[in-house]
Amino acid sequence: GAVVSQHPSWVICKSGTSVKIECRSLDFQATTMFWYRQFPKQSLMLMATSNEGSKATYEQGVEKDKFLINHASLTLSTLTVTSAHPEDSSFYICSAMGRNQETQYFGPGTRLLVL
Amino acid sequence: GENVEQHPSTLSVQEGDSAVIKCTYSDSASNYFPWYKQELGKGPQLIIDIRSNVGEKKDQRIAVTLNKTAKHFSLHITETQPEDSAVYFCAATEAAGNKLTFGGGTRVLVKP
């Protein structure tokens, strides 16, 4: 149990375009989903927390207009990187947590390369 | 906010030996401490966790100990195998909001 999927697993896009990444909890209802960013050989940095049906809470320094998060259902959250630039290239990972739970289960990650 | 420090940053062990990774945290109100294993190009996978009302937890070759007074917790891997090679992250929850703060990671290499 507790499987989280992400799609796509990798994406290459041109600078200025937008990219959407999906995060799904496959076998449980995720009342809270988290989006992280990870640069090579570094730790995970939390970008935002989203609760189903509510607006996402962004960490300090993360531009909410650039990284749009939607958590419209208990099994799906999306992260849209708008007007992507080369410096947005990174490994984006989501995690999901069920109601009254404290364990976060992570997706396999999405590698984004902006040319 | 919470701050988690993890040591060592790299660890090389011979197959069959034990590996120990240590983490310290700053927020005495933190009450949940998971450990994740991340293989190259993949997302972190939960391997064991411990709550603040427990001092030790074991699952086969993996064990975690927690010292609340000193605010540190450790991961112990016994009888290491080559497939244990990965990056390991410790984490701690902040007192509110269930946000995880991660340590910097430990790259473990198990040499055959």
Side-chain angles (χ1 to χ4, degrees), chain B residues 30-93:
Chain B
S30 290
N31 55 13
Y32 175 65
F33 308 91
W35 284 89
Y36 289 89
K37 175 184 180 181
Q38 186 177 30
E39 297 179 345
L40 189 62
K42 299 183 179 180
Q45 179 184 13
L46 179 72
I47 55 172
I48 197 167
D49 56 13
I50 192 167
R51 291 169 175 79
S52 59
N53 59 346
V54 176
E56 184 174 358
K57 183 177 179 181
K58 189 175 182 179
D59 182 3
Q60 299 182 346
R61 296 187 296 109
I62 295 174
V64 58
T65 58
L66 171 65
N67 184 326
K68 282 172 36 181
T69 303
K71 290 190 284 188
H72 67 69
F73 55 113
S74 300
L75 177 72
H76 304 253
I77 307 174
T78 58
E79 300 174 29
T80 54
Q81 301 168 4
E83 51 264 38
D84 294 329
S85 296
V87 179
Y88 292 80
F89 291 98
C90 63
T93 53

Side-chain angles (χ1 to χ4, degrees), chain A residues 34 36 38 41-44 46 49 59 91 93 97 101-108 111, chain B residues 31-32 36 38 41-44 46 49 51 89 93 97-100 102-105 107:
Chain A
F34 303 83
Y36 294 84
Q38 186 179 35
K41 297 188 177 182
Q42 294 189 20
S43 189
L44 288 81
L46 180 65
T49 303
E59 294 300 299
F91 192 49
I93 314 172
M97 188 167 66
Q101 300 293 315
E102 56 196 347
T103 300
Q104 291 186 30
Y105 296 97
F106 284 82
R111 189 163 301 281
Chain B
N31 55 13
Y32 175 65
Y36 289 89
Q38 186 177 30
K42 299 183 179 180
L46 179 72
D49 56 13
R51 291 169 175 79
F89 291 98
T93 53
N98 288 322
K99 292 196 299 184
L100 286 175
F102 283 86
R107 188 172 301 273

Side-chain angles (χ1 to χ4, degrees), chain A residues 73-92:
Chain A
S73 79
L74 286 172
T75 59
L76 173 64
S77 176
T78 61
L79 167 68
T80 301
V81 183
T82 62
S83 186
H85 292 287
E87 57 265 31
D88 298 323
S89 299
S90 189
F91 192 49
Y92 292 88

Side-chain angles (χ1 to χ4, degrees), chain A residues 18-86:
Chain A
S18 293
V19 174
K20 180 184 282 188
I21 302 170
E22 293 186 350
C23 176
R24 294 180 185 272
S25 58
L26 300 185
D27 52 2
F28 67 103
Q29 293 185 330
T31 51
T32 306
M33 285 186 168
F34 303 83
W35 287 95
Y36 294 84
R37 184 173 179 175
Q38 186 179 35
F39 290 108
K41 297 188 177 182
Q42 294 189 20
S43 189
L44 288 81
M45 296 301 295
L46 180 65
M47 299 175 66
T49 303
S50 73
N51 293 296
E52 187 262 341
S54 303
K55 289 184 178 180
T57 302
Y58 290 81
E59 294 300 299
Q60 192 172 8
V62 178
E63 299 177 58
K64 63 178 182 179
D65 294 330
K66 180 169 184 61
F67 299 98
L68 302 179
I69 293 172
N70 184 281
H71 190 169
S73 79
L74 286 172
T75 59
L76 173 64
S77 176
T78 61
L79 167 68
T80 301
V81 183
T82 62
S83 186
H85 292 287

